[in-house]
Amino acid sequence: MPTAVTTAATVITWAIAVGIILMGARYLWAPQAAADFGIPGTRTEDPNFRAWLSVKAARDIGSGLFLLIVLLGGDTHLRGWMMLVGSLIPLGDALVTKLSGGPAKAYLGIHGSTSAFMAAAGAALLLS
């Protein structure tokens, strides 16, 4: 029987999986949405930036699908490991955004908080 903590961590995992897939899709279909994702001076009309953004979108969609597969077919510990290791992706995004001169609301509020939630959910799943 799952505990309340396991259930909450699983709900967070679902939300992050679906959210990251939707964000990746949004970057593909509406690249101008990336203007506020944290790197100052982002010119969404630049073809080089759009190519880079397409790579990021594919990475985000793929990461979300990995989480969905584990949610649908994996056990609690595998879910926990995926979330814990997956938390390194937004942590890396936070570091890139900070080193690029991005605002704290982006590197802490968006990327940092996503990483923290993922790590917390992963730890909760591993400990259940």
Side-chain angles (χ1 to χ4, degrees), residues 62-95:
S63 296
L65 290 173
F66 276 126
L67 284 176
L68 287 181
I69 289 167
V70 171
L71 279 163
L72 294 172
D75 67 8
T76 303
H77 282 80
L78 180 59
R79 293 174 189 168
W81 280 115
M82 287 292 292
M83 286 294 279
L84 200 58
V85 172
S87 72
L88 296 175
I89 296 170
L91 184 62
D93 291 346
L95 183 60

Side-chain angles (χ1 to χ4, degrees), residues 24-80:
R26 185 171 181 217
Y27 290 155
L28 285 176
W29 303 119
Q32 65 278 9
D36 291 329
F37 79 108
I39 299 175
T42 301
R43 293 185 19 206
T44 57
E45 68 281 353
D46 179 356
N48 291 324
F49 175 75
R50 288 204 180 198
W52 176 86
L53 189 60
S54 295
V55 171
K56 179 177 174 15
R59 181 198 73 171
D60 287 353
I61 293 168
S63 296
L65 290 173
F66 276 126
L67 284 176
L68 287 181
I69 289 167
V70 171
L71 279 163
L72 294 172
D75 67 8
T76 303
H77 282 80
L78 180 59
R79 293 174 189 168

Side-chain angles (χ1 to χ4, degrees), residues 85-125:
V85 172
S87 72
L88 296 175
I89 296 170
L91 184 62
D93 291 346
L95 183 60
V96 167
T97 302
K98 179 172 176 36
L99 294 175
S100 299
K105 73 175 187 167
Y107 65 80
L108 290 176
I110 299 168
H111 305 298
S113 64
T114 300
S115 180
F117 273 106
M118 289 180 74
L125 291 167

